[in-house]
Amino acid sequence: MRSDIVKKGPTRAAHRSLFYAMGYSPDDLKKPLIGVVDAFNEIIPGHIHLRSIAEAAKLGVAAAGGTPIEFPAIGICDGIAMGHIGMKFSLASRELIADSIEAMASGHAFDGLVLIPNCDKIVPGMLMAAARLNIPCIVVSGGPMLAGRHNGENVSLSNTFEAAGQFTAGKISAEELDSLEQDTCPGCGSCSGLFTANTMNSLTEVLGMGLPGNGTIPAAYTGARTRLAKEAGHIIMDLVKNDIKPRDIMTHEAFENAITVDMGIGGSSNTVLHLTAIAHEAGITLPAPLFDEISARTPYITKLAPGGKHHMQDLNEAGGISAVMHELAKKNLLHLDALTVTGPLKDRIEHAEIRRPDVIHSVESPYRPTGGIAILKGNLAPDYAVVKASAVTEDMLVFTGTAKVYNSEEDSIEAIMGGEIKNGDVVVIRYEGPKGGPGMREMLNPTAIITGMGLKVALITDGRFSGATRGACIGHVSPEAMAGGPIALIKNGDKIAIDIPARKLELLVNDEELAKRRAQWSAPEPKIKTGYLARYAKLTTSASTGAILE
């Protein structure tokens, strides 16, 4: 066993003494040591209940003959961090999570890990650690939040963000805003729409690193969630016994499966960033064109919030991700021999079925014939840009507008709230990329306010958009402004052409003028010069390579 290096032989007598000090017995030390990585905290609704998930996983480990040892991981709530300096730390925390798990697992020679995340950067951070360490691992999340109920309708957090714009436009009263914000989030779990957290937890199933139901069983269904965690505890022991490692599971074929399902369900645009980073840790490259190639052949068969009226509980009732995969497999879109923590993917989905055809459409009758995420290129995004096409209305798929340029999210929000933005504009928010932000902030506040105000505009940024964002919102523009990308050269009044079906993003300015602007451009002073974010800005790469650290 890997853990023998900390517990076996006469030179490890002092090591064993330290284990005994914590109450571990000699018999405990004869068993595999399984780290249970619990991201519980009291600041993220998706994590507030993770202690119970960890306890269930530990029971499963112990029942299957292992010694469970719990340790924590950090997490940032993207919703609470949104719209201020806190969001600069969100993506950057992904690297801290991966690094700290690597340090703990290597420093104590664990034989395997049960990874318990739930929300945005915690899921990919843990998967990155699993791929990097390459010791047996399994992921079991805390599950999605139930949708809130307001005025007889289901609502999610994106509705509350958009309500700020409705209030600003005089469409709702302060009393209505207060009522909505109290109704939106009824309890624990990752926010109820197909935002980044729930997309990544769902794709964890597809990658093979989580059990069926990992992404869709609601957190409030405590019995089902507890059973899932216990089962994960059992299975990690099988993985250790058979020496099945993350890189045996997270192969190139598995990532192609994940991208396919991502396109089929219309997941968060952030998955492009995260899947690329996880694959990098597994020694696999996912070039941007691959996402678009898969999107072109994958029908979009679910329409969940923010792009539709259904929520994660509906997808769970409809048969979950297994039913989605079973349906997509009818078009031979998946690698069915790909390995999961429970065996080949084909065995997992063999008996899956769609139980609510109003939620999961057939591949013969999809919402759209192509996938929910689009990769755009052009003279404004030579590397790439990303848009959640599934959340863009038909009348905005092709759009040409006038640039209104802002060098920070705060400046854009001030302009929007001040009435500067009009129908037909393209709001450009730059110097918010991985290096320029630093930290590549999500822009849910400006997008939600614009949606709430009912404006017909597009937004473009070298930062990111939340999975809760809907509309013609194009992020990850690469190269970013801080690196001298073309987005840094846009001026107020320029025309920008967006053609999502044609995958084009063009700045309608001639090459001679752009060359003149480039000669006059110089990088501005960094926004943050000390601390972790300053170090992060120096080490991070482009969004086009997953914003990984070099």
Side-chain angles (χ1 to χ4, degrees), residues 99-122:
D99 290 351
S100 62
I101 293 172
E102 177 193 13
M104 288 292 289
S106 299
H108 303 102
F110 287 110
D111 295 299
L113 297 176
V114 178
L115 301 163
I116 306 175
N118 211 25
C119 290
D120 292 62
K121 307 312 159 301
I122 300 89

Side-chain angles (χ1 to χ4, degrees), residues 37 52 59 115 133 141 145 177 187 211 233 256 280 332 353 367 391 393 438 466 481 522:
V37 189
S52 63
L59 286 172
L115 301 163
L133 286 163
S141 77
M145 186 184 294
L177 179 61
L211 296 170
E256 288 191 355
H280 171 77
N332 297 317
E353 61 179 356
Y367 286 99
T393 57
S466 166
S522 61

Side-chain angles (χ1 to χ4, degrees), residues 119-357:
C119 290
D120 292 62
K121 307 312 159 301
I122 300 89
V123 182
M126 288 192 177
L127 285 168
M128 288 168 66
R132 185 187 303 173
L133 286 163
N134 204 32
I135 62 174
C137 293
I138 189 170
V139 176
V140 57
S141 77
M145 186 184 294
L146 292 174
R149 293 287 293 173
H150 181 72
N151 294 339
E153 296 182 351
N154 285 344
V155 292
S156 67
L157 189 65
S158 59
N159 297 103
T160 309
F161 272 103
E162 291 172 9
Q166 294 172 329
F167 175 73
T168 301
K171 296 181 178 181
I172 62 172
S173 66
E175 291 75 19
E176 172 64 10
L177 179 61
D178 179 69
S179 176
L180 176 62
E181 67 187 55
Q182 295 195 44
D183 291 344
T184 298
C185 297
C188 65
S190 46
C191 297
S192 59
L194 189 60
F195 312 148
T196 304
N198 291 327
T199 305
M200 288 306 304
N201 279 323
S202 295
L203 297 188
T204 298
E205 292 185 40
V206 188
L207 280 172
M209 292 297 293
L211 296 170
N214 181 72
T216 61
I217 298 172
Y221 295 2
T222 54
R225 273 284 154 194
T226 298
R227 292 194 301 272
L228 197 72
K230 285 181 179 178
E231 186 180 356
H234 276 273
I235 290 172
I236 188 61
M237 297 307 298
D238 291 335
L239 296 173
V240 169
K241 178 182 177 181
N242 296 309
D243 196 31
I244 297 173
K245 302 183 179 75
R247 293 190 192 183
D248 300 323
I249 295 170
M250 289 193 284
T251 61
H252 197 281
E253 289 74 19
F255 281 101
E256 288 191 355
N257 285 345
I259 296 169
T260 299
V261 172
D262 196 15
M263 298 303 170
I265 62 177
S268 166
S269 59
N270 286 318
T271 55
V272 177
L273 200 68
H274 297 321
L275 288 175
T276 301
I278 297 163
H280 171 77
E281 296 291 354
I284 295 168
T285 300
L286 299 180
L290 177 63
F291 287 84
D292 222 41
E293 290 168 17
I294 292 175
S295 181
R297 63 176 181 253
T298 305
Y300 169 46
I301 61 173
T302 75
K303 196 173 180 65
L304 276 63
K309 65 180 181 179
H310 296 125
H311 295 80
M312 294 305 294
Q313 66 208 61
D314 299 300
L315 181 57
N316 189 62
E317 289 177 10
I321 296 300
S322 292
V324 170
M325 288 192 283
H326 185 270
E327 188 62 24
L328 293 174
K330 292 178 180 178
K331 289 194 70 174
N332 297 317
L333 293 172
L334 298 174
H335 301 283
L336 297 179
D337 290 328
L339 183 64
T340 76
V341 291
T342 55
L345 182 65
K346 60 186 175 185
D347 293 348
R348 176 177 287 192
I349 68 172
E350 182 180 2
H351 301 294
E353 61 179 356
I354 297 173
R355 297 196 292 267
R356 282 186 56 183

Side-chain angles (χ1 to χ4, degrees), residues 436-451:
M440 203 179 180
R441 284 194 288 185
E442 290 185 343
M443 305 292 164
L444 181 55
N445 265 11
T447 62
I449 293 169
I450 280 175
T451 299

Side-chain angles (χ1 to χ4, degrees), residues 377-495:
K377 296 191 76 172
N379 71 341
L380 185 46
D383 291 344
Y384 80 51
V386 182
V387 62
K388 186 172 181 174
S390 59
V392 181
T393 57
E394 295 292 333
D395 63 336
M396 290 295 291
L397 290 172
V398 178
F399 180 78
T400 297
T402 304
K404 295 282 184 69
V405 185
Y406 304 96
N407 290 337
S408 71
E409 180 187 10
E410 287 83 359
D411 288 349
S412 73
I413 292 174
E414 183 177 345
I416 295 164
M417 300 292 280
E420 288 183 20
I421 308 304
K422 309 296 182 185
N423 287 335
D425 287 341
V426 177
V427 178
V428 178
I429 309 173
R430 62 190 180 190
Y431 296 105
E432 290 286 6
K435 290 182 177 294
M440 203 179 180
R441 284 194 288 185
E442 290 185 343
M443 305 292 164
L444 181 55
N445 265 11
T447 62
I449 293 169
I450 280 175
T451 299
M453 295 173 73
L455 293 171
K456 186 177 180 179
V457 303
L459 292 97
I460 295 175
T461 183
D462 53 6
R464 301 179 294 132
F465 288 117
S466 166
T469 293
R470 59 185 173 124
C473 301
I474 299 166
H476 305 204
V477 172
S478 303
E480 64 175 291
M482 197 68 175
I487 192 172
L489 309 179
I490 304 172
K491 291 185 176 181
N492 285 322
D494 288 346
K495 294 293 183 181

